[in-house]
Amino acid sequence: MISQLSMQATGAYWQLITQLGSSSLLFPVLAISVATLWISNQKAAIYLWLTALTLAVTVTLATKLLFLGWGIGVASLDFTGVSGHTLLATSILPILFFSVGGGAQTKLKNIGLWFGLLLGFAVGVSRVVLGMHSISEVVAGWVLGLAVCGVAIYAIKSHRQGLVYLQLLILSLLLVFGSTTPNYIPAHDMSVKLALYLSGHDQPFTRAYLSTTQTSSEF
């Protein structure tokens, strides 16, 4: 009984962590971050960050569509598509915490950056633990996210933030931990529908199909 309760608690913990990468959560967080940078006259940084993020999301979506619609993946790596949760968390959360830190000489912004990267890594681990993605898919998402994050950090200039932005940050975190199901943007379902529409198939390909192709190639 105690063991079962412990497993349930562990599952709930990882489910909470994985929601930190939900598009339903991170799009509002992205909006907060962009507003913060805009008011701080960081228009060039915003452009580069959003451009890099758009390209990364496009690559991620393309890998998902190729597998869901046509079964194109990498069997040897158990790869069916880049982890979107990991990508978004690693691309957005570090910039949110970094921008709150303010001036270039403050230690707070560097702590915020590493904290955001740690959260992105934790989201990736949660996707593996919960059986949503393989290690290769999470690594791909984290690497893409790091690239997007790096572009943004490189472009952001020294600036000072008021407490209002810290309050917005705290509010956003309260929204995160106040719900384990922020899913008003059903990204996966939308990807499946788009893949089926483009491919003309009635059912999406699953990871089981990838395992079958790997087994067949061994003969």
Side-chain angles (χ1 to χ4, degrees):
M1 181 65 178
I2 296 179
S3 176
Q4 184 178 4
L5 290 175
S6 177
M7 291 179 61
Q8 291 177 347
T10 301
Y13 166 78
W14 285 115
Q15 188 64 41
L16 183 63
I17 293 297
T18 210
Q19 294 301 338
L20 289 172
S22 167
S23 57
S24 298
L25 163 70
L26 289 181
F27 283 164
V29 171
L30 176 63
I32 292 173
S33 302
V34 167
T36 300
L37 293 173
W38 181 273
I39 294 174
S40 300
N41 198 30
Q42 303 281 344
K43 296 180 178 60
I46 293 173
Y47 174 78
L48 290 174
W49 183 27
L50 293 183
T51 298
L53 181 59
T54 299
L55 291 174
V57 169
T58 300
V59 170
T60 299
L61 179 61
T63 63
K64 291 179 179 294
L65 295 180
L66 285 173
F67 180 76
L68 292 170
W70 292 272
I72 300 175
V74 184
S76 60
L77 296 177
D78 193 20
F79 182 86
T80 64
V82 176
S83 170
H85 277 64
T86 308
L87 164 67
L88 290 179
T90 311
S91 299
I92 296 173
L93 291 178
I95 307 305
L96 174 66
F97 288 98
F98 180 85
S99 63
V100 168
Q105 301 303 318
T106 64
K107 294 181 180 180
L108 179 60
K109 73 159 194 175
N110 293 322
I111 293 174
L113 172 63
W114 284 106
F115 180 66
L117 290 174
L118 180 61
L119 286 179
F121 179 79
V123 168
V125 172
S126 74
R127 302 306 285 171
V128 175
V129 172
L130 295 174
M132 302 296 184
H133 280 288
S134 67
I135 293 177
S136 65
E137 294 162 355
V138 164
V139 169
W142 206 65
V143 170
L144 271 178
L146 281 177
V148 174
C149 179
V151 167
I153 295 299
Y154 176 79
I156 293 176
K157 301 175 183 178
S158 172
H159 62 288
R160 297 288 180 183
Q161 298 298 341
L163 291 178
V164 61
Y165 303 116
L166 184 57
Q167 293 168 351
L168 286 174
L169 170 62
I170 294 172
L171 175 60
S172 67
L173 292 180
L174 287 176
L175 292 175
V176 173
F177 292 105
S179 172
T180 59
T181 57
N183 57 0
Y184 59 88
I185 301 178
H188 178 70
D189 292 342
M190 293 167 64
S191 297
V192 171
K193 290 180 180 179
L194 180 58
L196 295 180
Y197 174 77
L198 293 175
S199 66
H201 293 145
D202 296 326
Q203 296 293 330
F205 286 86
T206 65
R207 196 176 297 276
Y209 169 80
L210 196 66
S211 301
T212 301
T213 59
Q214 183 177 21
T215 302
S216 300
S217 66
E218 293 175 353
F219 291 97

